[in-house]
Amino acid sequence: MGALLRGLVGLILSSVLVTSALAATAPVGGYTVVKAYPHDTAAFTEGLFYRDGFIFESTGLKGRSFIRKWNLETGVSEQERIVDSRYFGEGVVDWKNRLYALTWTDEIGIIYDIDSFERIGEFSYPGEGWALTRDDKRIMMSDGTSFIRFLDPETLKETGRIEVTDHGVPVRNLNELEWVKGELLANVWQTTRIARIDIKTGNVVGWIELAGLLKDAGVTGTQDDVLNGIAYDAVGDRLFVTGKLWPKLYEIKLAPAN
């Protein structure tokens, strides 16, 4: 979502969003930091995932959106594609030898070759595009509401959707997504919490509170530098989180929920 518009919308909705997340009745768990890695402070992070030892990241803002493959240890970019300046880039996900990338309000998704980053096609969807993730059978998409859409990974057509709720209360502004051990993790925009979602029911089964990362990262989390970005290394069982314009990406270990 655009920096200026997000700020204006945030002034109106932030208290509602924060109240909703903080008043959640699902159990809340914390974390410990395992390691911190460098992260580009110019990256307005929208999408994040881990594959074959590299971080793949998509960013937003018109004229500044890009998709990048970078070395986790050094932060050095190995491959990069600048997104057409007409578009505000959003989430990204891999499927076989392809990358699927959303745009915010243009209702257009772009398909890239995962090795060359060459544009090889596009797809369409109604409404806004925020984030993508996948399991081995389907793609999951957020659109800024309390709903998660399911997409066929080959046709990219919607096959269904489910509303995310915490004890019946809709959890709106679901943002960056990651599939981790059979659960869907979702950043909630303008909060410091990640929702752990049972994708079969849409129920939030727990929350991950990450407010402590803001001070270490040297950010306030009140402007554009909000928490956003989740990636998972399934082979190494490593969970990574970061935020927009943050100087660090963190590997964390989750603490039991209360």
Side-chain angles (χ1 to χ4, degrees):
M1 184 182 286
L4 177 58
L5 183 55
R6 279 188 169 180
L8 293 174
V9 172
L11 290 175
I12 301 171
L13 296 180
S14 61
S15 62
V16 175
L17 296 172
V18 172
T19 300
S20 174
L22 296 181
T25 53
V28 179
Y31 67 94
T32 56
V33 173
V34 177
K35 188 174 181 178
Y37 301 87
H39 181 251
D40 182 4
T41 55
F44 195 80
T45 307
E46 299 290 359
L48 200 74
F49 69 87
Y50 178 94
R51 174 167 165 153
D52 299 332
F54 294 95
I55 295 290
F56 287 75
E57 182 174 19
S58 59
T59 70
L61 302 176
K62 283 192 175 182
R64 290 175 50 188
S65 298
F66 61 79
I67 296 173
R68 178 182 290 168
K69 171 186 175 181
W70 53 274
N71 185 292
L72 177 62
E73 295 293 337
T74 65
V76 173
S77 176
E78 301 285 337
Q79 187 89 346
E80 185 170 300
R81 171 80 185 208
I82 303 299
V83 176
D84 189 310
S85 61
R86 292 175 296 170
Y87 302 128
F88 188 113
E90 286 283 350
V92 68
V93 70
D94 64 322
W95 181 259
K96 298 180 179 178
N97 64 341
R98 304 186 291 276
L99 289 174
Y100 298 144
L102 300 175
T103 60
W104 177 26
T105 58
D106 291 283
E107 301 186 331
I108 291 174
I110 304 170
I111 306 171
Y112 300 97
D113 178 87
I114 200 167
D115 295 318
S116 67
F117 278 24
E118 288 299 313
R119 179 171 174 162
I120 57 176
E122 63 180 47
F123 59 101
S124 63
Y125 48 86
E128 296 186 2
W130 282 40
L132 297 168
T133 192
R134 67 170 179 87
D135 58 17
D136 59 353
K137 296 180 180 179
R138 59 189 172 178
I139 288 173
M140 288 154 270
M141 172 182 168
S142 65
D143 57 13
T145 68
S146 58
F147 285 89
I148 295 295
R149 308 182 192 187
F150 301 115
L151 308 181
D152 181 292
E154 297 295 340
T155 67
L156 297 168
K157 299 298 184 182
E158 184 174 335
T159 60
R161 59 177 64 190
I162 194 166
E163 186 170 30
V164 176
T165 61
D166 184 353
H167 288 71
V169 179
V171 179
R172 298 180 176 86
N173 281 48
L174 298 171
N175 204 349
E176 224 280 298
L177 307 173
E178 186 72 12
W179 184 252
V180 180
K181 298 180 180 179
E183 287 182 348
L184 179 64
L185 301 190
N187 284 121
V188 179
W189 176 54
Q190 285 197 330
T191 79
T192 55
R193 288 190 172 177
I194 291 174
R196 296 174 44 225
I197 302 162
D198 179 345
I199 204 62
K200 293 180 181 179
T201 64
N203 294 334
V204 174
V205 297
W207 294 90
I208 305 166
E209 176 56 73
L210 295 170
L213 290 179
L214 301 182
K215 182 177 180 181
D216 186 84
V219 299
T220 65
T222 58
Q223 301 298 320
D224 287 333
D225 55 0
V226 295
L227 183 76
N228 198 53
I230 314 166
Y232 181 60
D233 168 16
V235 174
D237 190 22
R238 296 186 295 172
L239 182 64
F240 306 100
V241 296
T242 191
K244 300 175 185 294
L245 312 176
W246 282 25
K248 298 177 184 179
L249 175 142
Y250 295 92
E251 178 186 343
I252 62 171
K253 183 178 178 63
L254 300 184
N258 298 317

